[in-house]
Amino acid sequence: MTFCAIAGLMRRHLLAVTVVLIIAVCAGYDIRSSPTMYSESATVEYAVARSLGKSDVKGQFAIPLIATEVMMSQALMSRPAQGQVRAAGGTAQFEFVPANLYSLQYPNYDEPAVAFTTTSHRPAEVRRTFHVVLRLLGQRLAGLQAQAGVPARNRIRTFLSGDTGPVAQPGSSTRVSAGLALLTVVAVFMVANFLDRRQRGPGVIRPVLARRRLVGRARALSGP
């Protein structure tokens, strides 16, 4: 389809095109006016204190460390734990996801590490929730091991690495706006093309049906 044909198509259905553009502009304004999102991320590693720096001992404790990591992750993401976080002032969203080398359906937890992230529109909430979750994790982990009678020197502990601090997430609104612009162009063309075909449809179908009827009558008169 040439540019002139496309321009003519848009002119014939100017009202519909205008409506689509107004909807797209409103959606784009809503995206642009939304506040900046902030997040803080880190890796929470599980280890026995005396095994740090000794790879052979780490390998010996790998299975119980991974089991503890998965269990604590599930506990922290449960509704009761989330309620405790909120009660302690952690108002930001948070995720505590074990390091998975395969898929959610068939997980492969091969290392005792967790990706921990807090997210909010306010950096102060991000930071506060980050510390609240870590404090709750430490309390639960220490309490479970104390109940099990594990000596303090042999207890599993958590160590933080790669803490980003509260950082803005730039570019997300720009990418969404670009995607919205592309979808708007596609929607404008599809709506205009649909309306154009709908208007032309009866005028095209009737001559075809009439021609088929004439051919059928001619065959009937001529006989076998």
Side-chain angles (χ1 to χ4, degrees):
M1 183 176 289
T2 64
F3 176 79
C4 293
I6 295 176
L9 180 66
M10 299 298 112
R11 283 196 301 270
R12 287 194 298 273
H13 305 285
L14 186 59
L15 179 60
V17 171
T18 303
V19 171
V20 173
L21 291 177
I22 290 175
I23 295 174
V25 169
C26 292
Y29 176 78
D30 183 65
I31 293 172
R32 285 293 185 179
S33 60
S34 60
T36 303
M37 187 69 71
Y38 294 86
S39 67
E40 182 170 2
S41 302
T43 300
V44 179
E45 300 178 7
Y46 290 75
V48 179
R50 67 177 184 176
S51 72
L52 292 178
K54 299 179 181 180
S55 58
D56 56 336
V57 182
K58 282 185 180 181
Q60 177 184 350
F61 286 99
I63 293 179
L65 288 175
I66 292 172
T68 302
E69 161 216 357
V70 175
M71 179 185 65
M72 295 307 299
S73 299
Q74 293 175 347
L76 282 177
M77 294 306 297
S78 66
R79 284 190 175 183
Q82 292 186 21
Q84 291 180 344
V85 171
R86 299 289 179 266
T91 53
Q93 298 293 325
F94 69 91
E95 290 186 344
F96 212 77
V97 183
N100 186 0
L101 301 182
Y102 198 58
S103 66
L104 293 176
Q105 187 176 5
Y106 302 102
N108 178 18
Y109 304 124
D110 196 41
E111 55 181 294
V114 173
F116 174 39
T117 305
T118 56
T119 308
S120 175
H121 293 298
R122 299 180 179 179
E125 292 182 357
V126 168
R127 189 64 174 170
R128 183 169 60 251
T129 305
F130 191 86
H131 287 293
V132 168
V133 174
L134 288 179
R135 184 167 63 249
L136 178 61
L137 170 64
Q139 292 172 353
R140 286 202 168 199
L141 186 58
L144 287 174
Q145 294 181 97
Q147 291 177 5
V150 179
R153 65 178 182 277
N154 294 330
R155 290 179 185 176
I156 297 173
R157 294 174 173 83
T158 59
F159 300 87
L160 207 62
S161 64
D163 186 1
T164 63
V167 293
Q169 298 180 350
S172 57
S173 60
T174 303
R175 289 192 295 269
V176 173
S177 298
L180 179 62
L182 180 60
L183 288 176
T184 301
V185 173
V186 174
V188 165
F189 181 78
M190 290 184 64
V191 168
N193 196 37
F194 170 77
L195 294 175
D196 201 59
R197 288 184 177 181
R198 189 173 182 181
Q199 289 180 357
R200 291 185 307 164
V204 174
I205 293 174
R206 288 195 186 108
V208 172
L209 292 177
R211 189 163 50 251
R212 289 180 178 175
R213 289 170 183 169
L214 289 175
V215 171
R217 289 175 182 175
R219 289 178 178 175
L221 291 174
S222 61

